């Protein structure tokens, strides 16, 4: 059976970009068709300036929202990264396979590091090595497919490269994974700046739809989306990024096709209105279920505890095999083989 692994960082409240770019597929496809593991990757939230209490709160909230969105613990494994030691254990080995040049070429590192330096801050070493930890997340589970938005494809490519390199040097240990981005909405754009990604840690709230935004807030944000000065509704990502973004959001919410949908509209106003309502309807059941789950935090904790146990059992043998393959001496188990013939 195909093994699927993916994750979400608790660095901010989950957005419509997270939902359409990743979570929707986890819920609708992956958990039904594959042996799927989904992870709140809290160690990754420590790569930038962070507040410990906020990371804890956002980790719990992300897990609760993933359940509210429809992940079913009977069908998939949901857990928190730091509850499973194998991620950090394997990450170090992969640091011994990756090169610093490879790390410095990562687009997300270059962008985030430049932003941090421009603010006069310092860049944590973990921001540079983050893609190695992500590769460890993926490779520890012998993952075949990684459903992610297209901002993560370079990181998944790195995981592939490291798997191939490790296998060549030390013997076959890892499955070589591949990214599986969604067909539409691979990159949901900021409604106020349709040339940049709708990212949850960005500061510009009005351009970001959060999964827990009230319906009226969603409507306001979508109705105020920046479009261009053209009048016709055409689907052209390059020339009309704002309108294309709305068409993709509408298509991803309603199961349609952005190109076809463009023909159904003669004004931006009507397109915005339908998009707003489609998003409100998409989020309604998620928000209802989220409210119910918040009233039962013990249930979420149980799910995460069971999930971590299952995840550990899957990751352990692969990570142990990597430790042996790379040349580390296995620790004595404490259970000795009986000595049959002491003289030999
Ligand atoms: P992150 O918020 O960076 O932890 O991302 C979690 C998942 O959501 C990853 O698979 C991302 O590729 C995906 N994702 C995040 N933002 C967007 C976006 N604006 N459009 C599409 N996918 C996204
Ligand atoms: N880096 C991913 C992001 O920012 C999150 C992530 C961490 C991830 N580890 C992963 C996604 C493993 C898929 C598989 O979105």
């Amino acid at each position: 059976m195909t093994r699927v692994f993916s994750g979400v960082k608790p660095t901010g409240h989950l957005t419509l970009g997270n939902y359409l770019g990743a979570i929707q597929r986890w819920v609708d496809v992956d958990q039904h068709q594959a042996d799927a593991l989904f992870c709140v990757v809290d160690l990754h939230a420590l790569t930038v300036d962070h507040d410990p209490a906020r990371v804890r709160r956002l980790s719990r909230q992300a897990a609760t929202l993933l359940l509210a969105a429809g992940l079913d613990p009977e069908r998939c494994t949901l857990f928190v990264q730091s509850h499973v030691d194998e991620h950090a254990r394997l990450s170090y080995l992969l640091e011994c396979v990756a090169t610093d040049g490879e790390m410095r070429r990562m687009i997300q590192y270059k962008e985030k590091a430049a932003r941090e330096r421009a603010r006069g801050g310092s860049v944590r070493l973990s921001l540079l090595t983050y893609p190695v930890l992500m590769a460890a997340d993926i490779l520890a589970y012998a993952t075949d497919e990684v459903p992610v938005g297209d901002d993560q494809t370079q990181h998944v490519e790195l995981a592939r490269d490291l798997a191939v390199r490790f296998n060549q040097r030390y013997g076959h240990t890892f499955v070589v994974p591949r990214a599986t981005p969604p067909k539409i909405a691979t990159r949901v754009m900021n409604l106020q700046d349709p040339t940049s990604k709708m990212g949850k840690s960005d500061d510009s709230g009005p351009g970001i739809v959060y999964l827990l935004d009230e319906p009226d807030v969603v409507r306001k944000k979508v109705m105020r989306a920046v479009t261009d000065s053209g009048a016709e509704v055409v689907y052209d990502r390059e020339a009309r990024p704002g309108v294309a973004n709305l068409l993709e959001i509408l298509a991803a919410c309603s199961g349609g096709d952005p190109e076809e949908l463009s023909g159904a509209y003669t004004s931006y106003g009507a397109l915005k209105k339908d998009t707003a309502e489609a998003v409100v309807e998409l989020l309604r059941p998620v928000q209802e279920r989220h409210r119910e789950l918040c009233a039962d935090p013990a249930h979420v904790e149980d799910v995460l505890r069971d999930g971590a146990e299952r995840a550990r059992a899957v990751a352990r043998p692969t990570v142990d095999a990597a430790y042996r393959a790379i040349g580390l001496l296995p620790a004595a188990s404490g259970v000795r083989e009986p000595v049959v013939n002491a003289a030999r």
Side-chain angles (χ1 to χ4, degrees):
M1 199 179 201
T2 305
R3 170 72 51 70
V4 163
F5 182 96
S6 199
V8 59
K9 282 194 309 274
T11 44
H13 299 284
L14 296 192
T15 72
L16 187 64
N18 293 131
Y19 189 90
L20 298 179
I23 299 166
Q24 192 172 45
R25 183 191 164 111
W26 305 354
V27 170
D28 292 346
V29 182
D30 296 320
Q31 68 171 346
H32 300 286
Q33 297 183 358
D35 175 4
L37 299 107
F38 301 107
C39 186
V40 177
V41 287
D42 54 351
L43 297 173
H44 289 276
L46 312 183
T47 56
V48 289
D49 217 6
H50 78 284
D51 167 29
R54 184 163 188 264
V55 170
R56 263 191 299 272
R57 209 167 48 240
L58 289 172
S59 296
R60 199 170 294 123
Q61 190 195 65
T64 309
L65 263 171
L66 291 176
L67 290 172
L71 286 188
D72 174 358
E74 304 280 317
R75 294 188 172 278
C76 67
T77 300
L78 174 63
F79 69 105
V80 174
Q81 184 187 30
S82 64
H83 295 176
V84 179
D85 294 341
E86 316 312 315
H87 297 248
R89 275 183 80 214
L90 181 56
S91 186
Y92 179 71
L93 291 204
L94 296 178
E95 282 188 20
C96 301
V97 175
T99 67
D100 79 316
E102 254 169 345
M103 295 303 104
R104 291 179 204 284
R105 276 199 296 277
M106 294 289 129
I107 296 165
Q108 217 168 60
Y109 168 73
K110 289 198 273 192
E111 287 176 357
K112 285 190 179 173
R115 223 180 296 154
E116 197 54 54
R117 290 199 182 97
R119 261 194 243 139
S122 55
V123 177
R124 294 184 183 185
L125 180 58
S126 54
L127 187 69
L128 182 65
T129 56
Y130 158 122
V132 178
L133 178 59
M134 177 163 162
D137 300 339
I138 296 167
L139 300 186
Y141 294 92
T143 302
D144 298 293
E145 293 183 357
V146 189
V148 281
D150 86 349
D151 61 323
Q152 295 303 317
T153 46
Q154 194 187 27
H155 293 158
V156 179
E157 279 300 311
L158 176 82
R160 290 174 64 87
D161 292 346
L162 297 183
V164 169
R165 197 175 306 155
F166 190 104
N167 288 347
Q168 277 169 353
R169 280 188 197 159
Y170 306 114
H172 185 81
T173 309
F174 296 121
V175 171
V176 181
R178 63 180 178 281
T180 49
K183 287 196 182 61
I184 33 179
T186 64
R187 182 175 289 247
V188 177
M189 307 309 266
N190 188 301
L191 297 173
Q192 287 300 311
D193 174 10
T195 58
S196 68
K197 189 187 82 167
M198 184 186 284
K200 62 173 136 55
S201 8
D202 296 349
D203 306 323
S204 53
I208 306 168
V209 175
Y210 294 102
L211 299 189
L212 292 178
D213 277 347
E214 297 282 336
D216 278 344
V217 174
V218 174
R219 289 190 185 98
K220 206 179 285 172
K221 287 178 176 176
V222 176
M223 294 310 289
R224 289 186 186 162
V226 169
T227 44
D228 43 71
S229 52
E232 279 167 89
V233 177
V234 287
Y235 179 58
D236 182 341
R237 273 192 129 188
E238 298 294 313
R240 307 275 183 88
V243 171
N245 193 34
L246 292 173
L247 285 166
E248 289 196 14
I249 292 172
L250 178 59
C253 290
S254 61
D257 171 80
E259 184 86 55
E260 273 170 30
L261 281 170
S262 67
Y265 291 94
T266 51
S267 79
Y268 289 172
L271 170 63
K272 285 180 175 176
K273 198 155 181 293
D274 283 2
T275 306
E277 290 315 313
V279 176
V280 167
E281 288 314 312
L282 181 83
L283 298 185
R284 192 188 302 282
V286 179
Q287 295 182 352
E288 270 171 25
R289 179 99 182 98
H290 179 260
R291 266 193 296 276
E292 290 165 17
L293 285 166
C294 281
D296 188 5
H299 171 66
V300 179
E301 273 181 29
D302 286 349
V303 168
L304 295 178
R305 195 190 46 245
D306 291 354
E309 227 164 83
R310 292 208 304 249
R312 246 178 251 126
V314 178
R316 194 75 198 246
T318 302
V319 178
D320 282 350
Y323 266 65
R324 282 194 300 275
I326 207 170
L328 299 171
L329 190 63
S333 68
V335 187
R336 285 184 202 281
E337 296 289 315
V339 181
V340 180
N341 183 347
R344 281 173 66 192

